[in-house]
Amino acid sequence: MRLLVVGGGGREHALCWALRRENPEAQIYCAPGNPGTAELASNLSIAADDLDRLADAADMHGIDLTIIGPEAPLAHGLADRLRAEGRLVFGPSAAAAQLEASKAFAKEVMFAAGVPTAASQAFSDLAPALAYVDRHAEPLVVKASGLAGGKGAVVCATRAEAGKTVRAMLEGDQFGAAGKTVVIEAFLEGEEISVLALTDGRDVELLPVAQDHKRLLEGDRGPNTGGMGAYSPVALATPALLERVKREVLYPTLEQMRRQKTPFSGVLYAGLMVDAEGTPSVVEFNCRLGDPEAQVVLPLVSGGLTDSFMRVAEGKTPSSLELGSQAAVTTVLASRGYPDAPETGAAIVLPKSQAGGVTVFHAGTTRGQDGVLRASGGRVLTVTAVAASFSEAQRLSREAADAVRFEGKIFRGDIGWREAARRAERSPAAAR
Ligand code: AMP
């Protein structure tokens, strides 16, 4: 089997790792990949958004299945392009990827389908947007409608701040074209979880539920980032809650997408806020695996992943995934200055050996002619630990994060703190 993974971050390294584990004999390519994927796959130096060259490469290497990692190439129509050339692709069409690429579109789908989500309205003109802010209760959330690398949502404590943010997006250039339409919505209280479903557009197969840590600093303070760490599974996500999420969120959304002739296949990722009563509301949809969620979710799947990707690409119901009872925690190692202006170029020293269950996924690294591994992006590495218990995985991930060395390394040592608190509350003795 010949597989092509498109993308070059931690998620794609985790994809290559999971595919390699299930398919020791497969020929795996990764475009553009990174020094981590180079150990598992053949890297092709083609950017993830270079549709022409990717289509040529799929042809040249006789690719049987392409798995598209990031949202941008999906939104630009890479899946459509490859399908038009008769190839099997895991990932939605450009029209279906609008569920992530346009928050205004996603909100319309949710309202049409009766999916629970915050009250909101989309605006491209300043005056009506400011009038909306004036009419609504604080706090408000102002979002760039387009793709903004997970950083386009601003929680505003006051109307004045919301007004300023709306102005900055519609008049200024912080998010470029992505901010020329804004969605203004009510603030939702609760705890967030990420429910990732493999889907052919009709049926769903859930991956283990994850919780991301968007804020830069420990205790969930500081600016929003692409994600500073994640863990899985999440005890808050009971089987009863997940049934409800399927019934109230996933199935109605997929049905609405079919109804409006933009059927969705691939990973439907629902970012949910669960309130104190256990009621879920959608904060956002993504059209692909999360990063860093993939780095905890994929290692917990012990079989059935490749088969599911293939079946979904063929338009068939995803097969059942084999899931064990282990837990995973991943800690992102970022560069000083992230998310605004990360430093790059620092030499990275990885420990010679890792504890069992620990995998270091590369996110923003390069290896120069001199063979030295260097930081090349804001998020540099993600350190995943899989263990029999959550607390063991948390400890191992933190220790392994600590053991990696590079100048300017920053990371959160509290990934999974909500889960730890939940466990301590339930069983104080066990948590000690
Ligand atoms: P988004 O880009 O829509 O995923 O938003 C990024 C982050 O902002 C989310 O993960 C939440 O932490 C926060 N956020 C977005 N929308 C809301 C909301 N309506 N209420 C509370 N927090 C939100």
Side-chain angles (χ1 to χ4, degrees):
M1 185 158 44
R2 294 165 165 268
L3 303 169
L4 170 62
V5 174
V6 176
R11 166 185 45 217
E12 288 75 28
H13 188 177
L15 271 167
C16 288
W17 181 92
L19 292 168
R20 174 57 74 211
R21 186 164 71 157
E22 282 190 2
N23 310 282
E25 306 296 329
Q27 183 70 45
I28 306 179
Y29 296 90
C30 191
N34 62 39
T37 66
E39 290 171 18
L40 301 160
S42 306
N43 283 350
L44 304 173
S45 79
I46 305 175
D49 57 2
D50 190 338
L51 273 54
D52 290 337
R53 291 191 59 215
L54 287 168
D56 286 348
D59 219 22
M60 189 162 80
H61 298 291
I63 299 298
D64 299 306
L65 173 66
T66 302
I67 297 134
I68 304 172
E71 59 277 19
L74 289 164
H76 291 143
L78 178 58
D80 310 74
R81 169 74 183 266
L82 294 172
R83 282 192 190 112
E85 295 180 8
R87 305 216 162 267
L88 290 174
V89 184
F90 181 79
S93 68
Q98 289 299 299
L99 218 39
E100 171 168 4
S102 164
K103 289 186 193 288
F105 173 93
K107 283 294 201 175
E108 278 168 25
V109 170
M110 285 187 261
F111 293 137
V115 168
T117 186
S120 78
Q121 207 165 311
F123 299 92
S124 302
D125 294 321
L126 187 63
L130 294 177
Y132 184 91
V133 167
D134 278 339
R135 285 200 311 274
H136 286 82
E138 303 168 340
L140 284 164
V141 185
V142 178
K143 302 179 177 187
S145 178
L147 294 178
K151 298 161 203 160
V154 186
V155 177
C156 303
T158 62
R159 286 197 195 90
E161 196 187 335
K164 226 171 94 187
T165 308
V166 166
R167 250 180 220 289
M169 289 190 191
L170 289 181
E171 292 190 330
D173 212 32
Q174 193 186 355
F175 296 104
K180 293 307 159 203
T181 298
V182 297
V183 170
I184 308 176
E185 69 177 32
F187 179 79
L188 297 167
E189 298 274 0
E191 184 166 343
E192 288 184 78
I193 56 172
S194 305
V195 175
L196 283 69
L198 306 182
T199 180
D200 60 341
R202 200 173 284 275
D203 290 307
V204 299
E205 178 69 17
L206 296 191
L207 288 158
V209 174
Q211 186 168 68
D212 187 11
H213 296 58
K214 284 240 162 248
R215 304 292 204 97
L216 180 68
L217 305 173
E218 291 183 5
D220 290 335
R221 294 171 303 112
N224 264 334
T225 69
M228 294 299 290
Y231 68 91
S232 177
V234 183
L236 178 71
T238 59
L241 176 66
L242 295 179
E243 275 313 307
R244 190 166 174 190
V245 169
K246 283 189 195 172
R247 203 173 56 240
E248 295 181 8
V249 174
L250 300 174
Y251 291 138
T253 300
L254 293 172
E255 193 185 334
Q256 178 61 27
M257 292 294 276
R258 293 199 305 274
R259 199 178 298 135
Q260 58 185 58
K261 307 278 185 280
T262 52
F264 186 99
S265 80
V267 176
L268 178 58
Y269 166 144
L272 302 169
M273 191 71 84
V274 182
D275 73 10
E277 280 79 51
T279 302
S281 304
V282 176
V283 174
E284 64 162 346
F285 281 126
N286 292 322
C287 64
R288 35 81 199 173
L289 291 166
D291 186 341
E293 287 92 331
Q295 292 92 305
V296 285
V297 162
L298 298 178
L300 295 179
V301 180
S302 47
L305 195 67
T306 317
D307 194 48
S308 268
F309 287 166
M310 187 58 105
R311 288 182 59 88
V312 165
E314 291 170 339
K316 298 178 189 155
T317 313
S319 40
S320 318
L321 299 173
E322 288 167 34
L323 306 175
S325 58
Q326 291 180 302
V329 175
T330 199
T331 303
V332 170
L333 306 185
S335 277
R336 191 162 50 211
Y338 179 71
D340 295 332
E343 294 171 12
T344 56
I348 300 167
V349 183
L350 294 171
K352 291 220 163 30
S353 66
Q354 292 289 2
V358 172
T359 309
V360 176
F361 293 114
H362 292 233
T365 69
T366 50
R367 199 183 291 282
Q369 297 289 348
D370 55 3
V372 177
L373 191 65
R374 293 184 186 278
S376 64
R379 293 190 293 175
V380 179
L381 299 162
T382 70
V383 182
T384 296
V386 176
S389 71
F390 165 78
S391 48
E392 181 67 357
Q394 191 187 37
R395 184 181 65 78
L396 284 171
S397 175
R398 194 188 296 139
E399 285 177 5
D402 214 29
V404 175
R405 295 209 318 271
F406 63 90
E407 173 62 27
K409 175 184 80 172
I410 55 173
F411 70 96
R412 282 181 56 166
D414 69 341
I415 301 305
W417 68 273
R418 289 175 193 275
E419 188 75 5
R422 212 177 343 260
R423 281 160 194 269
E425 204 171 282
R426 246 197 261 141
S427 165
R432 275 200 299 274

mmCIF file of all heavy atoms in Angstrom, residues 8 13 32-40 43 45 345-351 360-377 380-381:
data_model
loop_
_atom_site.group_PDB
_atom_site.id
_atom_site.type_symbol
_atom_site.label_atom_id
_atom_site.label_comp_id
_atom_site.label_asym_id
_atom_site.label_seq_id
_atom_site.Cartn_x
_atom_site.Cartn_y
_atom_site.Cartn_z
ATOM 1 N N GLY A 8 2.989 18.984 7.671
ATOM 2 C CA GLY A 8 4.363 18.863 8.186
ATOM 3 C C GLY A 8 4.491 19.237 9.651
ATOM 4 O O GLY A 8 5.553 19.660 10.096
ATOM 5 N N HIS A 13 3.147 14.094 11.974
ATOM 6 C CA HIS A 13 4.095 13.116 12.513
ATOM 7 C C HIS A 13 3.325 12.004 13.228
ATOM 8 O O HIS A 13 3.606 10.812 13.038
ATOM 9 C CB HIS A 13 5.090 13.799 13.467
ATOM 10 C CG HIS A 13 6.204 12.907 13.921
ATOM 11 N ND1 HIS A 13 7.220 13.359 14.738
ATOM 12 C CD2 HIS A 13 6.473 11.589 13.689
ATOM 13 C CE1 HIS A 13 8.059 12.357 14.975
ATOM 14 N NE2 HIS A 13 7.620 11.273 14.360
ATOM 15 N N PRO A 32 4.918 18.350 3.339
ATOM 16 C CA PRO A 32 6.367 18.273 3.193
ATOM 17 C C PRO A 32 7.022 17.433 4.288
ATOM 18 O O PRO A 32 8.203 17.134 4.172
ATOM 19 C CB PRO A 32 6.794 19.741 3.343
ATOM 20 C CG PRO A 32 5.783 20.333 4.265
ATOM 21 C CD PRO A 32 4.490 19.617 3.978
ATOM 22 N N GLY A 33 6.270 17.075 5.340
ATOM 23 C CA GLY A 33 6.868 16.322 6.433
ATOM 24 C C GLY A 33 7.828 17.170 7.249
ATOM 25 O O GLY A 33 7.894 18.395 7.103
ATOM 26 N N ASN A 34 8.564 16.505 8.142
ATOM 27 C CA ASN A 34 9.549 17.187 9.001
ATOM 28 C C ASN A 34 10.589 16.141 9.425
ATOM 29 O O ASN A 34 10.477 14.971 9.037
ATOM 30 C CB ASN A 34 8.833 17.865 10.187
ATOM 31 C CG ASN A 34 8.106 16.869 11.096
ATOM 32 O OD1 ASN A 34 8.607 15.774 11.364
ATOM 33 N ND2 ASN A 34 6.932 17.248 11.577
ATOM 34 N N PRO A 35 11.604 16.540 10.186
ATOM 35 C CA PRO A 35 12.633 15.544 10.547
ATOM 36 C C PRO A 35 12.082 14.339 11.312
ATOM 37 O O PRO A 35 12.673 13.263 11.286
ATOM 38 C CB PRO A 35 13.602 16.368 11.415
ATOM 39 C CG PRO A 35 13.467 17.759 10.889
ATOM 40 C CD PRO A 35 11.999 17.906 10.586
ATOM 41 N N GLY A 36 10.932 14.515 11.975
ATOM 42 C CA GLY A 36 10.309 13.384 12.674
ATOM 43 C C GLY A 36 9.674 12.415 11.697
ATOM 44 O O GLY A 36 9.874 11.193 11.784
ATOM 45 N N THR A 37 8.930 12.930 10.727
ATOM 46 C CA THR A 37 8.280 12.041 9.758
ATOM 47 C C THR A 37 9.332 11.350 8.882
ATOM 48 O O THR A 37 9.091 10.253 8.383
ATOM 49 C CB THR A 37 7.271 12.788 8.852
ATOM 50 O OG1 THR A 37 7.985 13.722 8.031
ATOM 51 C CG2 THR A 37 6.227 13.534 9.671
ATOM 52 N N ALA A 38 10.499 12.000 8.729
ATOM 53 C CA ALA A 38 11.554 11.423 7.877
ATOM 54 C C ALA A 38 12.001 10.052 8.394
ATOM 55 O O ALA A 38 12.507 9.238 7.627
ATOM 56 C CB ALA A 38 12.747 12.372 7.815
ATOM 57 N N GLU A 39 11.792 9.804 9.693
ATOM 58 C CA GLU A 39 12.205 8.506 10.246
ATOM 59 C C GLU A 39 11.175 7.412 9.989
ATOM 60 O O GLU A 39 11.427 6.239 10.236
ATOM 61 C CB GLU A 39 12.477 8.657 11.743
ATOM 62 C CG GLU A 39 13.746 9.481 11.965
ATOM 63 C CD GLU A 39 13.981 9.859 13.404
ATOM 64 O OE1 GLU A 39 13.383 9.226 14.299
ATOM 65 O OE2 GLU A 39 14.757 10.804 13.630
ATOM 66 N N LEU A 40 9.989 7.794 9.531
ATOM 67 C CA LEU A 40 8.904 6.822 9.337
ATOM 68 C C LEU A 40 8.423 6.760 7.902
ATOM 69 O O LEU A 40 7.730 5.826 7.506
ATOM 70 C CB LEU A 40 7.701 7.238 10.195
ATOM 71 C CG LEU A 40 7.923 7.351 11.694
ATOM 72 C CD1 LEU A 40 6.846 8.219 12.323
ATOM 73 C CD2 LEU A 40 7.922 5.959 12.305
ATOM 74 N N ASN A 43 9.939 11.811 3.006
ATOM 75 C CA ASN A 43 9.454 13.186 2.883
ATOM 76 C C ASN A 43 9.564 13.654 1.432
ATOM 77 O O ASN A 43 10.550 13.358 0.751
ATOM 78 C CB ASN A 43 10.274 14.131 3.756
ATOM 79 C CG ASN A 43 9.902 14.031 5.225
ATOM 80 O OD1 ASN A 43 8.907 13.382 5.588
ATOM 81 N ND2 ASN A 43 10.686 14.660 6.071
ATOM 82 N N SER A 45 9.544 17.188 -0.710
ATOM 83 C CA SER A 45 9.592 18.612 -0.368
ATOM 84 C C SER A 45 8.615 19.410 -1.227
ATOM 85 O O SER A 45 8.968 20.116 -2.167
ATOM 86 C CB SER A 45 11.026 19.151 -0.406
ATOM 87 O OG SER A 45 11.382 19.379 -1.713
ATOM 88 N N GLY A 345 15.752 28.767 15.392
ATOM 89 C CA GLY A 345 17.169 28.514 15.139
ATOM 90 C C GLY A 345 17.903 27.817 16.263
ATOM 91 O O GLY A 345 19.031 27.355 16.066
ATOM 92 N N ALA A 346 17.295 27.696 17.460
ATOM 93 C CA ALA A 346 18.004 27.063 18.573
ATOM 94 C C ALA A 346 18.258 25.585 18.290
ATOM 95 O O ALA A 346 17.394 24.895 17.738
ATOM 96 C CB ALA A 346 17.185 27.208 19.856
ATOM 97 N N ALA A 347 19.437 25.113 18.666
ATOM 98 C CA ALA A 347 19.769 23.680 18.497
ATOM 99 C C ALA A 347 19.030 22.885 19.573
ATOM 100 O O ALA A 347 18.958 23.294 20.729
ATOM 101 C CB ALA A 347 21.271 23.486 18.619
ATOM 102 N N ILE A 348 18.486 21.747 19.156
ATOM 103 C CA ILE A 348 17.677 20.916 20.067
ATOM 104 C C ILE A 348 18.481 19.680 20.465
ATOM 105 O O ILE A 348 19.052 19.001 19.607
ATOM 106 C CB ILE A 348 16.385 20.457 19.358
ATOM 107 C CG1 ILE A 348 15.557 21.674 18.923
ATOM 108 C CG2 ILE A 348 15.567 19.534 20.262
ATOM 109 C CD1 ILE A 348 14.440 21.339 17.950
ATOM 110 N N VAL A 349 18.493 19.394 21.766
ATOM 111 C CA VAL A 349 19.143 18.165 22.233
ATOM 112 C C VAL A 349 18.077 17.262 22.833
ATOM 113 O O VAL A 349 17.445 17.605 23.837
ATOM 114 C CB VAL A 349 20.232 18.479 23.291
ATOM 115 C CG1 VAL A 349 20.939 17.195 23.706
ATOM 116 C CG2 VAL A 349 21.235 19.496 22.745
ATOM 117 N N LEU A 350 17.857 16.122 22.167
ATOM 118 C CA LEU A 350 16.883 15.148 22.666
ATOM 119 C C LEU A 350 17.611 14.125 23.532
ATOM 120 O O LEU A 350 18.759 13.779 23.240
ATOM 121 C CB LEU A 350 16.208 14.424 21.496
ATOM 122 C CG LEU A 350 15.330 15.287 20.588
ATOM 123 C CD1 LEU A 350 14.900 14.494 19.358
ATOM 124 C CD2 LEU A 350 14.102 15.771 21.354
ATOM 125 N N PRO A 351 16.973 13.624 24.586
ATOM 126 C CA PRO A 351 17.613 12.585 25.404
ATOM 127 C C PRO A 351 17.934 11.359 24.541
ATOM 128 O O PRO A 351 17.221 11.083 23.577
ATOM 129 C CB PRO A 351 16.541 12.229 26.438
ATOM 130 C CG PRO A 351 15.535 13.303 26.379
ATOM 131 C CD PRO A 351 15.620 13.949 25.040
ATOM 132 N N VAL A 360 8.338 11.486 21.071
ATOM 133 C CA VAL A 360 8.514 12.915 20.794
ATOM 134 C C VAL A 360 8.100 13.170 19.349
ATOM 135 O O VAL A 360 8.724 12.666 18.412
ATOM 136 C CB VAL A 360 9.981 13.340 21.016
ATOM 137 C CG1 VAL A 360 10.179 14.811 20.628
ATOM 138 C CG2 VAL A 360 10.375 13.128 22.476
ATOM 139 N N PHE A 361 7.024 13.910 19.163
ATOM 140 C CA PHE A 361 6.572 14.264 17.825
ATOM 141 C C PHE A 361 7.131 15.635 17.450
ATOM 142 O O PHE A 361 7.113 16.563 18.254
ATOM 143 C CB PHE A 361 5.040 14.294 17.764
ATOM 144 C CG PHE A 361 4.410 12.933 17.931
ATOM 145 C CD1 PHE A 361 3.631 12.640 19.050
ATOM 146 C CD2 PHE A 361 4.615 11.937 16.990
ATOM 147 C CE1 PHE A 361 3.058 11.393 19.215
ATOM 148 C CE2 PHE A 361 4.052 10.675 17.143
ATOM 149 C CZ PHE A 361 3.268 10.402 18.263
ATOM 150 N N HIS A 362 7.607 15.725 16.207
ATOM 151 C CA HIS A 362 8.174 16.990 15.734
ATOM 152 C C HIS A 362 7.067 17.877 15.170
ATOM 153 O O HIS A 362 6.196 17.394 14.447
ATOM 154 C CB HIS A 362 9.211 16.728 14.629
ATOM 155 C CG HIS A 362 10.443 16.046 15.126
ATOM 156 N ND1 HIS A 362 11.705 16.540 14.905
ATOM 157 C CD2 HIS A 362 10.598 14.914 15.854
ATOM 158 C CE1 HIS A 362 12.593 15.735 15.462
ATOM 159 N NE2 HIS A 362 11.939 14.740 16.045
ATOM 160 N N ALA A 363 7.130 19.162 15.498
ATOM 161 C CA ALA A 363 6.111 20.092 15.002
ATOM 162 C C ALA A 363 6.777 21.187 14.163
ATOM 163 O O ALA A 363 6.453 21.359 12.995
ATOM 164 C CB ALA A 363 5.345 20.697 16.166
ATOM 165 N N GLY A 364 7.727 21.900 14.754
ATOM 166 C CA GLY A 364 8.446 22.943 14.019
ATOM 167 C C GLY A 364 9.927 22.731 14.192
ATOM 168 O O GLY A 364 10.570 23.408 15.004
ATOM 169 N N THR A 365 10.495 21.785 13.449
ATOM 170 C CA THR A 365 11.938 21.524 13.508
ATOM 171 C C THR A 365 12.496 21.408 12.094
ATOM 172 O O THR A 365 11.765 21.101 11.156
ATOM 173 C CB THR A 365 12.274 20.194 14.249
ATOM 174 O OG1 THR A 365 11.836 19.088 13.451
ATOM 175 C CG2 THR A 365 11.610 20.128 15.620
ATOM 176 N N THR A 366 13.792 21.660 11.974
ATOM 177 C CA THR A 366 14.482 21.368 10.713
ATOM 178 C C THR A 366 15.809 20.701 11.055
ATOM 179 O O THR A 366 16.326 20.876 12.169
ATOM 180 C CB THR A 366 14.831 22.641 9.904
ATOM 181 O OG1 THR A 366 15.490 23.564 10.784
ATOM 182 C CG2 THR A 366 13.634 23.292 9.296
ATOM 183 N N ARG A 367 16.329 19.937 10.103
ATOM 184 C CA ARG A 367 17.667 19.381 10.294
ATOM 185 C C ARG A 367 18.535 19.930 9.178
ATOM 186 O O ARG A 367 18.227 19.743 8.002
ATOM 187 C CB ARG A 367 17.634 17.852 10.282
ATOM 188 C CG ARG A 367 18.869 17.231 10.923
ATOM 189 C CD ARG A 367 18.860 15.720 10.853
ATOM 190 N NE ARG A 367 17.866 15.073 11.685
ATOM 191 C CZ ARG A 367 17.954 14.889 13.008
ATOM 192 N NH1 ARG A 367 18.997 15.345 13.668
ATOM 193 N NH2 ARG A 367 17.006 14.270 13.677
ATOM 194 N N GLY A 368 19.564 20.668 9.551
ATOM 195 C CA GLY A 368 20.417 21.309 8.541
ATOM 196 C C GLY A 368 21.421 20.335 7.946
ATOM 197 O O GLY A 368 21.461 19.156 8.314
ATOM 198 N N GLN A 369 22.230 20.863 7.025
ATOM 199 C CA GLN A 369 23.299 20.067 6.386
ATOM 200 C C GLN A 369 24.236 19.477 7.427
ATOM 201 O O GLN A 369 24.776 18.390 7.248
ATOM 202 C CB GLN A 369 24.131 20.969 5.453
ATOM 203 C CG GLN A 369 23.367 21.559 4.291
ATOM 204 C CD GLN A 369 23.014 20.511 3.247
ATOM 205 O OE1 GLN A 369 23.524 19.399 3.299
ATOM 206 N NE2 GLN A 369 22.129 20.833 2.326
ATOM 207 N N ASP A 370 24.405 20.230 8.543
ATOM 208 C CA ASP A 370 25.311 19.790 9.606
ATOM 209 C C ASP A 370 24.706 18.681 10.467
ATOM 210 O O ASP A 370 25.340 18.192 11.397
ATOM 211 C CB ASP A 370 25.688 20.994 10.491
ATOM 212 C CG ASP A 370 24.457 21.716 11.051
ATOM 213 O OD1 ASP A 370 23.326 21.243 10.801
ATOM 214 O OD2 ASP A 370 24.619 22.755 11.728
ATOM 215 N N GLY A 371 23.453 18.295 10.174
ATOM 216 C CA GLY A 371 22.826 17.213 10.930
ATOM 217 C C GLY A 371 22.211 17.656 12.250
ATOM 218 O O GLY A 371 21.620 16.849 12.963
ATOM 219 N N VAL A 372 22.356 18.948 12.550
ATOM 220 C CA VAL A 372 21.838 19.442 13.834
ATOM 221 C C VAL A 372 20.340 19.748 13.702
ATOM 222 O O VAL A 372 19.905 20.375 12.736
ATOM 223 C CB VAL A 372 22.599 20.718 14.277
ATOM 224 C CG1 VAL A 372 22.011 21.287 15.571
ATOM 225 C CG2 VAL A 372 24.076 20.407 14.442
ATOM 226 N N LEU A 373 19.584 19.271 14.695
ATOM 227 C CA LEU A 373 18.150 19.529 14.737
ATOM 228 C C LEU A 373 17.917 20.905 15.358
ATOM 229 O O LEU A 373 18.467 21.208 16.423
ATOM 230 C CB LEU A 373 17.498 18.443 15.605
ATOM 231 C CG LEU A 373 15.977 18.350 15.593
ATOM 232 C CD1 LEU A 373 15.484 17.940 14.201
ATOM 233 C CD2 LEU A 373 15.508 17.351 16.642
ATOM 234 N N ARG A 374 17.130 21.736 14.667
ATOM 235 C CA ARG A 374 16.908 23.096 15.171
ATOM 236 C C ARG A 374 15.427 23.448 15.213
ATOM 237 O O ARG A 374 14.643 22.929 14.413
ATOM 238 C CB ARG A 374 17.622 24.124 14.268
ATOM 239 C CG ARG A 374 19.108 24.020 14.331
ATOM 240 C CD ARG A 374 19.810 25.098 13.515
ATOM 241 N NE ARG A 374 21.235 24.825 13.512
ATOM 242 C CZ ARG A 374 22.061 25.170 14.496
ATOM 243 N NH1 ARG A 374 21.614 25.831 15.548
ATOM 244 N NH2 ARG A 374 23.343 24.851 14.442
ATOM 245 N N ALA A 375 15.095 24.368 16.132
ATOM 246 C CA ALA A 375 13.721 24.876 16.226
ATOM 247 C C ALA A 375 13.452 25.764 15.017
ATOM 248 O O ALA A 375 14.258 26.617 14.683
ATOM 249 C CB ALA A 375 13.546 25.666 17.513
ATOM 250 N N SER A 376 12.303 25.548 14.357
ATOM 251 C CA SER A 376 12.006 26.363 13.175
ATOM 252 C C SER A 376 10.599 26.944 13.227
ATOM 253 O O SER A 376 10.149 27.557 12.268
ATOM 254 C CB SER A 376 12.162 25.521 11.905
ATOM 255 O OG SER A 376 11.222 24.477 11.908
ATOM 256 N N GLY A 377 9.900 26.751 14.332
ATOM 257 C CA GLY A 377 8.533 27.287 14.392
ATOM 258 C C GLY A 377 8.153 27.576 15.828
ATOM 259 O O GLY A 377 8.952 27.360 16.752
ATOM 260 N N VAL A 380 7.454 23.595 18.670
ATOM 261 C CA VAL A 380 8.650 22.906 18.180
ATOM 262 C C VAL A 380 8.477 21.384 18.241
ATOM 263 O O VAL A 380 8.710 20.684 17.253
ATOM 264 C CB VAL A 380 9.889 23.350 19.003
ATOM 265 C CG1 VAL A 380 11.140 22.636 18.525
ATOM 266 C CG2 VAL A 380 10.058 24.865 18.902
ATOM 267 N N LEU A 381 8.088 20.892 19.406
ATOM 268 C CA LEU A 381 7.926 19.446 19.608
ATOM 269 C C LEU A 381 6.678 19.221 20.445
ATOM 270 O O LEU A 381 6.254 20.112 21.195
ATOM 271 C CB LEU A 381 9.136 18.870 20.359
ATOM 272 C CG LEU A 381 10.507 18.999 19.695
ATOM 273 C CD1 LEU A 381 11.617 18.799 20.734
ATOM 274 C CD2 LEU A 381 10.667 17.970 18.570
#
